Amino acid sequence: VLIYGRIKEVNNMKTISKIQLLSKIGKILSKITYICCIVGFFLCVAGIISTIIGAETITIGGVTIESILETEADVNVNTLYVMLVAGIIICIGEAVLARFAENYFKKELKDGTPFTLSGAKSMMRLGILTMCIPVVVEILIEIAYIIMKNVLTGVGEVNVDMNISFGIGIMFIVTSLICRYGAEQLGNKDTNN
């Protein structure tokens, strides 16, 4: 009985160390995603500014950047503005989501286990945000598109599809329920819920 208890304890330690490793990876990936979103935001802003300043004035080999866009990329400048604004909105939404994910992983690493009530609550929040933020992003992009289409001439279609996050959000919610159940079974009724 004593040997069986020790073997079970060693197996539990291996499992929790794997969970902690996954949390460290999740924290790092969330931080990288956040940084990439911030960089993407500023690149889109720089793209708008440089297009405003240089689309008609900067020439390469006697051809303006505006004409290069229209002939090579089959995109007019006004459509490019809408695409860059959409990029800004996407980067903001994904940065917010990445920050929430990073905060969850930091908390899980600090607690040393995913089986706490406050950790399960944080994961549930992350799941809900993972489903809701992309919907808000798509709505904001559509609003920006309609406004810019009415203000600018010749704006082409801009399609954004962010449906993949819905499945990931459901996965987070289901996992949060499992973690909550585990916390209740272990008696980890922490005070932060």
Side-chain angles (χ1 to χ4, degrees), residues 1-181:
V1 172
L2 205 56
I3 294 173
Y4 174 74
R6 181 68 184 140
I7 291 172
K8 186 175 178 183
E9 183 180 319
V10 168
N11 284 338
N12 288 343
M13 294 304 289
K14 287 180 182 177
T15 303
I16 198 71
S17 67
K18 289 177 185 176
I19 291 172
Q20 292 304 92
L21 176 64
L22 290 174
S23 291
K24 287 177 187 175
I25 292 169
K27 179 182 151 197
I28 292 167
L29 291 176
S30 299
K31 183 73 166 181
I32 290 169
T33 302
Y34 178 77
I35 292 168
C36 288
C37 288
I38 298 300
V39 170
F41 170 85
F42 284 110
L43 287 175
C44 288
V45 170
I48 291 172
I49 293 169
S50 63
T51 305
I52 290 171
I53 293 171
E56 296 175 357
T57 58
I58 297 175
T59 59
I60 300 171
V63 181
T64 64
I65 291 182
E66 182 177 10
S67 64
I68 292 172
L69 282 171
E70 289 175 357
T71 57
E72 298 297 323
D74 197 28
V75 174
N76 68 32
V77 174
N78 292 339
T79 303
L80 180 63
Y81 289 139
V82 175
M83 293 168 99
L84 290 169
V85 168
I88 288 170
I89 295 169
I90 290 170
C91 287
I92 290 169
E94 292 300 318
V96 169
L97 200 53
R99 184 57 88 181
F100 273 100
E102 182 184 4
N103 288 339
Y104 167 76
F105 289 120
K106 281 182 183 176
K107 179 171 182 6
E108 195 280 333
L109 287 167
K110 181 182 170 206
D111 292 343
T113 180
F115 300 110
T116 62
L117 293 178
S118 64
K121 185 177 178 182
S122 294
M123 186 177 283
M124 175 74 76
R125 182 182 317 117
L126 182 59
I128 292 168
L129 289 172
T130 301
M131 291 189 301
C132 293
I133 286 176
V135 172
V136 172
V137 164
E138 285 190 39
I139 291 169
L140 291 175
I141 289 172
E142 190 63 30
I143 291 169
Y145 172 74
I146 291 169
I147 291 170
M148 293 179 81
K149 189 173 183 178
N150 289 323
V151 173
L152 304 172
T153 59
V155 173
E157 287 292 318
V158 176
N159 295 320
V160 176
D161 185 15
M162 301 183 70
N163 291 334
I164 190 163
S165 62
F166 193 76
I168 295 170
I170 291 172
M171 180 194 69
F172 279 134
I173 291 171
V174 170
T175 304
S176 75
L177 295 173
I178 293 169
C179 290
R180 181 176 185 82
Y181 177 76

